[in-house]
Amino acid sequence: MNLQNLGWNQYFEDAFEEYKQQGFEVGRVTLEHKRIYRVLSRHGELLAEVSGKLRFNALERQDYPAVGDWVVITLRPGEPKATIHAILPRKSKFSRKAAGNTMGEQIVATNVDTIFLVTALNADFNLRRIERYVLTAWESGANPVIILSKADLCDEIEQRIQEVESIAFGVPIHAISAEQNIGVEALATYIYEGQTIALLGSSGVGKSTLTNALLGEGKQEVQAIREGDDRGRHTTTHRELIILESGGILIDTPGMREIQLWDADEGFSHSFSDIEALAETCRFRDCSHVKEPGCAIQRAISEGSLDKNRYASYVKLQRELAFLERKENRQARLAEKAKWKQVSKSQRKINEDLY
Ligand SMILES: Nc1nc2c(ncn2[C@@H]2O[C@H](COP(=O)(O)OP(=O)(O)OP(=O)(O)O)[C@@H](O)[C@H]2O)c(=O)[nH]1
Ligand SMILES: [Mg+2]
Ligand SMILES: [Zn+2]
């Protein structure tokens, strides 16, 4: 197993240096199930668990390995098993708020170079959702590419592409049909040795079908969507990193039920930069864009140069972000507190045992 084929590069080499000198090995997480990890290394495939020390120091989800991570390991003698001691710094991280109302972060994939945001050209097509996906993708540190799948089902492909262009300026857009193998070869520009590509999108849009088309075999299970509303059946149940023989690394993921922004700032301004530029031309610096005189936002909306719904989703996102930020700070404080409680408890235990 060649590490370069798995996406290894100078960035990770530098981060690994200190561990290397101490005799550690390195591998990449390809699958996770209940805190058991499948890791690919130069010794082949290994099953791994985190060390007690890593677990003890872990404060939250992101302190544990995720699919795509490069991890520092030691091999257990005589069996294809390993212990994970550390996670090398992530080049990118695509995460979202876990479904439901908890604040748990869910890491979808790490160390991804390109994100294929897959939307089907059927009833699933939704511009607002694409816009949100693009924001989250920018923020993750990876480059988004919009894939409009099931092009064979659509008569207005050109029009759809134009609509997407209007909300995702500068993001490459590809209409494809994985089933009829149309447009798939054009994706080769993103997929080559050492590049990691994650496929994201709602259930049933054809992520696994595309994975199989790129892989040249029916590895990933595929299932028909529901008739009537075109909803998928959540066929893929876990994220998995797959090495392509032709070079390139794919991460197929389960369809997302909902996508919520995690922590936007940078990605946020990327796609709404026109609105922010406009807001800077309001007469008052602290304009709330409601009914102040000389408000550029209100003028643009009434003139029709700014779509009212788009501005509404900008406001909604801003609110969501402010809310998340407040909640996140609180969560971090609580986690820190719990940690110290645990530390002093075990310290007390040690003292008791000693005396
Ligand atoms: N017409 C048409 N159908 C397609 C195409 N690609 C996928 N499908 C069909 O769409 C259905 C769902 O495809 P999957 O690949 O399982 O979708 P998925 O995105 O992996 O779904 P989850 O694993 O549930 O997230 C299957 O019946 C596929 O055959 C396409 O290009 N054209
Ligand atoms: Mg799937
Ligand atoms: Zn204003």
Side-chain angles (χ1 to χ4, degrees):
M1 186 65 61
N2 172 344
L3 290 184
Q4 267 72 35
N5 292 337
L6 294 174
W8 186 251
N9 58 35
Q10 196 59 46
Y11 174 88
F12 300 114
E13 183 73 49
D14 291 346
F16 182 55
E17 190 55 37
E18 56 168 316
Y19 295 106
K20 195 173 167 182
Q21 285 170 6
Q22 300 171 55
F24 285 105
E25 297 276 342
V26 74
R28 193 162 190 201
V29 177
T30 63
L31 195 78
E32 185 222 329
H33 182 67
K34 295 190 175 154
R35 300 261 156 103
I36 307 274
Y37 304 87
R38 195 171 70 198
V39 173
L40 277 178
S41 73
R42 62 192 184 100
H43 303 282
E45 202 173 281
L46 307 164
L47 277 187
E49 286 178 273
V50 298
S51 69
K53 191 174 167 205
L54 192 153
R55 188 176 308 122
F56 182 76
N57 289 324
L59 218 87
E60 48 195 2
R61 177 60 188 90
Q62 61 164 352
D63 301 328
Y64 282 94
V67 172
D69 272 339
W70 283 99
V71 288
V72 174
I73 55 173
T74 48
L75 271 66
R76 294 192 205 152
E79 44 179 359
K81 289 194 176 150
T83 303
I84 299 173
H85 300 273
I87 305 165
L88 293 184
R90 293 163 175 148
K91 264 182 75 184
S92 67
K93 177 181 82 171
F94 188 96
S95 56
R96 62 177 187 135
K97 228 185 94 175
N101 53 9
T102 57
M103 272 304 284
E105 177 183 18
Q106 208 175 72
I107 299 181
V108 178
T110 67
N111 298 320
V112 172
D113 299 291
T114 303
I115 295 182
F116 283 178
L117 301 169
V118 190
T119 297
L121 288 163
N122 57 12
D124 174 71
F125 186 83
N126 179 322
L127 281 176
R128 292 282 89 78
R129 180 169 352 101
I130 296 175
E131 194 164 35
R132 291 187 136 223
Y133 271 132
V134 170
L135 290 171
T136 316
W138 278 128
E139 173 224 321
S140 78
N143 294 316
V145 171
I146 296 172
I147 309 281
L148 302 176
S149 63
K150 309 195 186 185
D152 55 292
L153 300 178
C154 179
D155 298 327
E156 300 162 320
I157 298 174
E158 273 312 309
Q159 194 187 324
R160 289 286 108 83
I161 291 178
Q162 272 176 24
E163 286 169 8
V164 177
E165 268 171 354
S166 73
I167 55 127
F169 185 73
V171 179
I173 303 166
H174 294 268
I176 65 147
S177 168
E179 220 161 65
Q180 302 193 355
N181 204 23
I182 301 166
V184 176
E185 71 286 355
L187 304 179
T189 46
Y190 311 102
I191 308 169
Y192 51 91
E193 199 194 75
Q195 288 288 304
T196 304
I197 294 96
L199 289 97
L200 302 178
S202 314
S203 178
V205 295
K207 298 177 296 297
S208 298
T209 307
L210 177 57
T211 301
N212 288 340
L214 294 167
L215 196 60
E217 58 174 292
K219 182 183 182 304
Q220 294 295 89
E221 198 194 330
V222 161
Q223 214 185 160
I225 54 178
R226 298 198 308 224
E227 270 180 58
D229 63 2
D230 287 353
R231 289 274 173 85
R233 297 171 192 272
H234 293 280
T235 307
T236 305
T237 53
H238 52 263
R239 315 174 236 288
E240 183 165 6
L241 186 146
I242 299 159
I243 316 286
L244 298 183
E245 238 171 76
S246 56
I249 301 136
L250 294 183
I251 301 180
D252 188 14
T253 68
M256 292 189 177
R257 284 192 172 79
E258 60 182 298
I259 176 157
Q260 282 169 302
L261 283 181
W262 182 247
D263 166 39
D265 43 88
E266 208 195 322
F268 186 58
S269 46
H270 240 289
S271 178
F272 285 114
S273 50
D274 57 327
I275 296 182
E276 285 175 351
L278 201 58
E280 276 173 24
T281 65
C282 290
R283 185 183 302 162
F284 302 112
R285 282 203 74 145
D286 59 348
C287 183
S288 64
H289 320 306
V290 180
K291 51 181 182 230
E292 288 92 337
C295 174
I297 299 277
Q298 286 306 326
R299 189 172 60 237
I301 289 172
S302 64
E303 281 172 356
S305 59
L306 172 61
D307 181 50
K308 204 173 165 181
N309 291 330
R310 196 155 160 273
Y311 178 65
S313 66
Y314 168 82
V315 172
K316 186 159 169 276
L317 278 170
Q318 250 183 345
R319 238 184 260 135
E320 197 171 333
L321 287 173
F323 176 70
L324 275 176
E325 204 175 5
R326 280 198 306 276
K327 226 173 165 182
E328 209 175 338
N329 290 339
R330 182 159 172 269
Q331 197 81 1
R333 276 202 312 276
L334 289 176
E336 191 65 27
K337 219 165 132 186
K339 185 95 218 168
W340 284 112
K341 215 163 157 183
Q342 195 186 336
V343 169
S344 59
K345 206 155 119 197
S346 54
Q347 189 58 46
R348 222 168 25 240
K349 178 92 175 55
I350 292 169
N351 290 344
E352 280 164 13
D353 289 351
L354 279 176
Y355 304 108

